[in-house]
Amino acid sequence: MVQYIPAPDPRTLLPPLLACLPTAFASPRPPPALLPLLSPILRQRVQLLSSTSSSTDSWLPLLCWDTSNAEKLPAIIESDLFELHPVSGEIEFKDVERIRYRRLDPETLHAQLVITDLSLVVTYLWCIGDEEGGGTGWRVSELGPSHSTGNGEKFWASSITEADDTVKDNTITVALREAERSGHDGEDATEEDDDQYWAQYDIGLDPDPTKMRSSEPQAPAVGHSRSRATSEANYYAQYARVQPALDSDDPSVQREELTISSLNGDLTTSVASRQISTSDSRLPTLAEPSSQLGEPKIHITHPQPMSSADVSSAVERLEHTAASLAQSERAARQHISSTMKSLFRLARNTGIDRREFERLIKRELETLSMLEGDD
C-alpha cells in the first residue's frame, strides 16, 4: 500500500522551531517545546549530550551534524536577523522559495527548506509512528547555515515523485554494476578452472621432457632453405609421428621406469585374471593315476567351506537389509499418519465434521477388507 506523504508547510513547521532557537543563550538545556519538533535520532542526541555538557556549553550546535557548520549557528542566531517582530512577537521570514527532496531508501525521505533571509537551511525527515513527536509527520533532522546546501546538490530532487524515481534508478544502476562485477569475477574463475582442467592433459608419463616425444609437431623454421611447399609438406607429415599425451604406449619412453597406468584398457582384465589364477592355485586337487589305460590325469576340485570373513559379511548384509526394511516401514507409517492429518484438515475446511470424517474412513476400510477377500 502506497502511503500519501504531504509536502512540508513552512508556515506551520518553521515558527515553533525558530521561536526555540534564541533560548539557547539563556539556558544550557533545550526547551521542552523543542524536543517534539526533532526527529527521534536528533532528539536523543540533544537530550544525551546537553545533559552531560557543562553549564557554559550551548545545545544549539547539537542540531547540526557537521562540526564546522555547527560552529557557525550561534553567530547566525545571535545576529539581527532573529529580532522579534514588534506586532506579532514572532521571528518573521519570507516565503520559502525552494523545497527539495531526497529519498535514501524506501523508508527514509528528507525535505530541505532553505530560508534565504535568515541564512538557514532546515532538513526535515518524514517520521512514521513518532509518539513523542505527536504521531506521523515531518521532524527536524538537521539545522545548518544556508551556504552548506551546495554539498550533494545532485542527490536532491524538486518533488517527491522525482526523488522516488531517482532512488529507483540508482538502485538499478548499482545492481547492474554489482552483477557485471560478479559476472567478470565468475568468468575469470571459470577460465582459471578451465585452464587447470585442460592443463592436466599436457602432463606426460615422465616429468623429464627429454625422455618424452613431443605431443605437437614443430612449426617449420623461418628462413628454411627449401621451398614453401616442401616445408608445409614436412610440417603436416609430422602429424603421422605424433604421440598423444594420454597414450601410454610410447616407444621413446623407457619401460623400466614406468609403473602401471590406469589408462590401459586391459588393466581390469589382467588384474582379474591374476586373482582367478591365484585362487585356483590355492584350491586342493585330487589326482587319480591312470597310467595303465594311458588316460590323462583328471583334477577334481572340491568346494571349500565358508570362512569366518564370508560368514561375517553375510551377517552384515542381513543386518543391513533388516535395517533398511525397518526404516522403510517407519517411513511408510509416517507417510500414512501425515496423509490422514491432511485429509482431516481438508474435511474440516470443507465443512465435514469429525463424525462424518470417521464414518467415511470406516467405510473405506470396510471396502478394503472386501477387496482383500476377493484377492
Side-chain angles (χ1 to χ4, degrees):
M1 180 178 179
V2 179
Q3 182 185 10
Y4 170 71
I5 301 178
D9 185 10
R11 291 298 172 181
T12 304
L13 299 176
L14 292 178
L17 174 64
L18 298 177
C20 296
L21 297 181
T23 61
F25 303 100
S27 174
R29 300 293 180 87
L34 175 68
L35 298 179
L37 306 177
L38 307 180
S39 64
I41 298 178
L42 186 60
R43 186 185 304 143
Q44 294 178 3
R45 168 185 168 91
V46 173
Q47 287 179 335
L48 180 61
L49 297 182
S50 62
S51 61
T52 57
S53 61
S54 61
S55 59
T56 58
D57 295 335
S58 174
W59 51 266
L60 191 60
L62 299 177
L63 299 178
C64 185
W65 296 94
D66 186 83
T67 307
S68 59
N69 292 329
E71 296 176 353
K72 302 175 183 179
L73 284 178
I76 297 175
I77 304 301
E78 199 175 6
S79 63
D80 298 338
L81 299 175
F82 276 79
E83 290 184 357
L84 300 178
H85 193 271
V87 178
S88 63
E90 297 179 353
I91 299 175
E92 293 191 353
F93 57 91
K94 297 180 181 180
D95 293 337
V96 177
E97 299 178 356
R98 183 176 56 174
I99 300 178
R100 301 185 302 176
Y101 301 90
R102 178 179 62 184
R103 171 76 73 175
L104 298 181
D105 53 59
E107 299 179 355
T108 307
L109 177 64
H110 287 109
Q112 191 179 76
L113 282 67
V114 180
I115 312 174
T116 307
D117 51 343
L118 297 181
S119 301
L120 289 177
V121 54
V122 186
T123 304
Y124 284 89
L125 173 67
W126 178 254
C127 300
I128 301 175
D130 184 16
E131 298 180 358
E132 297 184 14
T136 303
W138 292 101
R139 303 290 182 269
V140 178
S141 64
E142 187 176 10
L143 176 67
S146 58
H147 64 80
S148 62
T149 59
N151 299 330
E153 186 79 18
K154 62 179 181 179
F155 298 105
W156 294 91
S158 58
S159 63
I160 299 178
T161 304
E162 185 180 351
D164 294 340
D165 296 338
T166 302
V167 72
K168 290 179 182 179
D169 296 340
N170 293 336
T171 303
I172 295 175
T173 304
V174 172
L176 292 176
R177 190 181 299 111
E178 293 293 335
E180 184 178 1
R181 186 183 298 109
S182 61
H184 287 314
D185 296 341
E187 291 178 0
D188 297 340
T190 303
E191 292 178 358
E192 184 177 356
D193 295 340
D194 292 343
D195 294 341
Q196 295 177 358
Y197 172 76
W198 291 112
Q200 297 178 4
Y201 287 92
D202 297 334
I203 301 176
L205 299 177
D206 198 319
D208 189 359
T210 59
K211 298 181 181 180
M212 294 293 296
R213 184 184 301 177
S214 174
S215 61
E216 297 181 359
Q218 300 295 329
V222 180
H224 201 275
S225 60
R226 296 182 180 181
S227 63
R228 180 177 180 181
T230 306
S231 300
E232 292 182 356
N234 294 335
Y235 171 73
Y236 288 108
Q238 297 181 37
Y239 282 97
R241 301 189 300 273
V242 169
Q243 175 64 31
L246 298 180
D247 190 359
S248 61
D249 188 14
D250 190 354
S252 64
V253 180
Q254 298 179 5
R255 285 295 180 179
E256 62 274 10
E257 298 181 2
L258 299 180
T259 57
I260 298 177
S261 174
S262 60
L263 299 175
N264 294 331
D266 58 346
L267 178 61
T268 306
T269 306
S270 60
V271 173
S273 61
R274 288 198 299 270
Q275 292 180 352
I276 294 174
S277 61
T278 304
S279 60
D280 292 343
S281 63
R282 295 179 180 177
L283 295 176
T285 58
L286 178 60
E288 297 181 357
S290 56
S291 57
Q292 296 178 358
L293 299 178
E295 297 178 357
K297 297 181 179 180
I298 300 176
H299 299 275
I300 302 175
T301 59
H302 297 276
Q304 295 293 325
M306 295 181 63
S307 62
S308 59
D310 297 334
V311 174
S312 61
S313 61
V315 171
E316 291 178 357
R317 287 196 297 271
L318 292 176
E319 292 179 351
H320 179 69
T321 304
S324 300
L325 293 176
Q327 185 177 2
S328 301
E329 182 180 358
R330 183 168 56 256
R333 291 178 181 273
Q334 293 178 356
H335 179 68
I336 293 173
S337 177
S338 61
T339 303
M340 292 298 297
K341 293 178 181 178
S342 300
L343 292 176
F344 178 72
R345 296 190 188 98
L346 177 62
R348 185 177 56 185
N349 293 333
T350 54
I352 301 176
D353 56 1
R354 184 182 182 88
R355 293 183 179 179
E356 182 65 20
F357 178 75
E358 293 178 354
R359 189 179 301 110
L360 291 174
I361 297 300
K362 290 180 180 179
R363 185 185 305 167
E364 295 297 330
L365 292 177
E366 292 175 357
T367 305
L368 292 177
S369 62
M370 295 173 61
L371 294 176
E372 290 180 354
D374 295 340
D375 295 339

